[in-house]
Amino acid sequence: VGDRCYEKGMYEAAKLLYSNVSNFARLASTLVHLGEYQAAVDNSRKASSTRTWKEVCFACVDGQEFHLAQLCGLHIVIHADELEELMCYYQDRGYFEELISMLEAALGLDRAHMGMFTELAILYSKFKPQKMLEHLELFWSRVNIPKVLRAAEQAHLWAELVFLYDKYEEYDNAVLSMMSHPTEAWKEGQFKDIITKVANVELCYRALQFYLDYKPLLINDLLLVLSPRLDHTRTVSFFSKDAMQHAAESRDAELAQKLLQWFLEEGKTECFAASLFTCYDLLHPDMVLELAWRHNLVDLAMPYFIQVMREYLSKVDRLDALESLHKQEEHVMEPAPLMFDSDGHE
């Protein structure tokens, strides 16, 4: 009889009948239709049925009774297979704040599972990014890291992305992210810790260039932690190349000359030869010849002198051509003398 009354919309009668037979699940559904949300929640607790909790929860959401909806929701989110439907119900109606509050309250439950921590992290990335990093620091081991990584990348949360890469042991990606977004993601201690763990050694050399561009005063600290993994010959060449480039860009002839002398003092003859062309237009050939002669490197410097000679000869040839052209123009412009006959006629 109670069911027939319920189907006919006779909710007051159904309420009396269901109460009489202690059918708490149906009573909770009836109370929802009567707008008696608190009583519906109380009877849902007695019914102890996920289906009833969902029905009452959704009704409370529709009635904007969010505190009661949360009480119901805490009995639903603990079931991983029910979480998505519950979240969709809230999100489809734009109740993101209320959904976040419910999940935050649920984290302390004994039956809290990975899906809850993961979905809360994703919600933070979309609606409360300032809270995401703290959440990850506390619960990174309880989230689905690949899923949260995608959310962090889509939200351009670079510090959070680096944190997750580090915990997921994707050290190469962590270093690349820090170098690509240093303002938001780079931290000195974290960078030095992660760079020593990268699988691709080439990233170590990229890190050197990154420090030269971004934090040149800290380059020595980076070298200390990287020295076991670096090829020292290649590293010296790397910095020699950088020094040559700097000297060339400075347009300072004295600096370029001192760099040449330093290369020779250190026995870096290949760097000396390379500098002759990198800093070509800043060097005086007589000075280069003297240095090459003093260090028995005339043969090594010969390509430089050949280039210098070619340029000098080209200039001489151009000057000769200009002088010849100038003489021709003078000859053309010289006036011809006037000739007169004996009668004075032209």
Side-chain angles (χ1 to χ4, degrees), residues 72 79 171 318 332:
C72 299
H79 302 287
Y171 303 120
R318 286 198 296 273
V332 171

Side-chain angles (χ1 to χ4, degrees), residues 158-177:
W158 308 120
E160 291 79 356
L161 190 69
V162 169
F163 178 86
L164 289 167
Y165 277 138
D166 183 19
K167 296 302 182 183
Y168 203 48
E169 299 184 3
E170 288 195 9
Y171 303 120
D172 293 34
N173 284 332
V175 166
L176 287 170
S177 296

Side-chain angles (χ1 to χ4, degrees), residues 80-108:
D81 54 343
E82 300 287 353
L83 180 59
E84 183 178 357
E85 182 183 359
L86 178 64
M87 291 186 58
C88 288
Y89 200 88
Y90 273 81
Q91 292 185 93
D92 290 347
R93 289 154 181 79
Y95 298 134
F96 305 107
E97 288 278 351
E98 292 76 13
L99 177 58
I100 288 173
S101 297
M102 180 176 62
L103 287 175
E104 288 174 339
L107 297 186

Side-chain angles (χ1 to χ4, degrees), residues 81-235:
D81 54 343
E82 300 287 353
L83 180 59
E84 183 178 357
E85 182 183 359
L86 178 64
M87 291 186 58
C88 288
Y89 200 88
Y90 273 81
Q91 292 185 93
D92 290 347
R93 289 154 181 79
Y95 298 134
F96 305 107
E97 288 278 351
E98 292 76 13
L99 177 58
I100 288 173
S101 297
M102 180 176 62
L103 287 175
E104 288 174 339
L107 297 186
L109 298 175
D110 292 338
R111 296 175 62 185
H113 53 83
M114 180 178 286
M116 293 159 53
F117 292 93
T118 300
E119 294 301 337
L120 182 56
I122 294 172
L123 286 169
Y124 279 153
S125 74
K126 295 177 180 178
F127 307 109
K128 289 190 175 182
Q130 70 279 6
K131 300 188 70 173
M132 186 178 182
L133 187 57
E134 180 184 1
H135 176 72
L136 294 176
E137 288 172 344
L138 291 171
F139 303 115
W140 66 267
S141 63
R142 303 192 69 176
V143 304
N144 181 328
I145 291 182
K147 194 172 181 180
V148 180
L149 270 171
R150 291 192 293 273
E153 187 171 15
Q154 289 172 2
H156 294 179
L157 298 175
W158 308 120
E160 291 79 356
L161 190 69
V162 169
F163 178 86
L164 289 167
Y165 277 138
D166 183 19
K167 296 302 182 183
Y168 203 48
E169 299 184 3
E170 288 195 9
Y171 303 120
D172 293 34
N173 284 332
V175 166
L176 287 170
S177 296
M178 278 192 272
M179 291 193 293
S180 298
H181 308 280
T183 305
E184 300 90 351
W186 179 84
K187 293 180 181 177
E188 182 185 3
Q190 185 184 34
F191 188 90
K192 289 193 297 184
D193 176 60
I194 296 176
I195 192 64
T196 61
K197 304 174 185 176
V198 296
N200 184 0
V201 180
E202 288 301 313
L203 287 177
C204 296
Y205 297 99
R206 288 185 61 178
L208 292 177
Q209 187 61 57
F210 167 72
Y211 263 61
L212 286 173
D213 296 337
Y214 185 68
K215 290 288 183 180
L217 297 180
L218 299 177
I219 190 70
N220 287 338
D221 295 337
L222 181 64
L223 283 170
L224 286 175
V225 300
L226 287 182
S227 57
R229 302 199 65 189
L230 294 174
D231 180 293
H232 292 190
T233 302
R234 180 178 174 183
T235 304

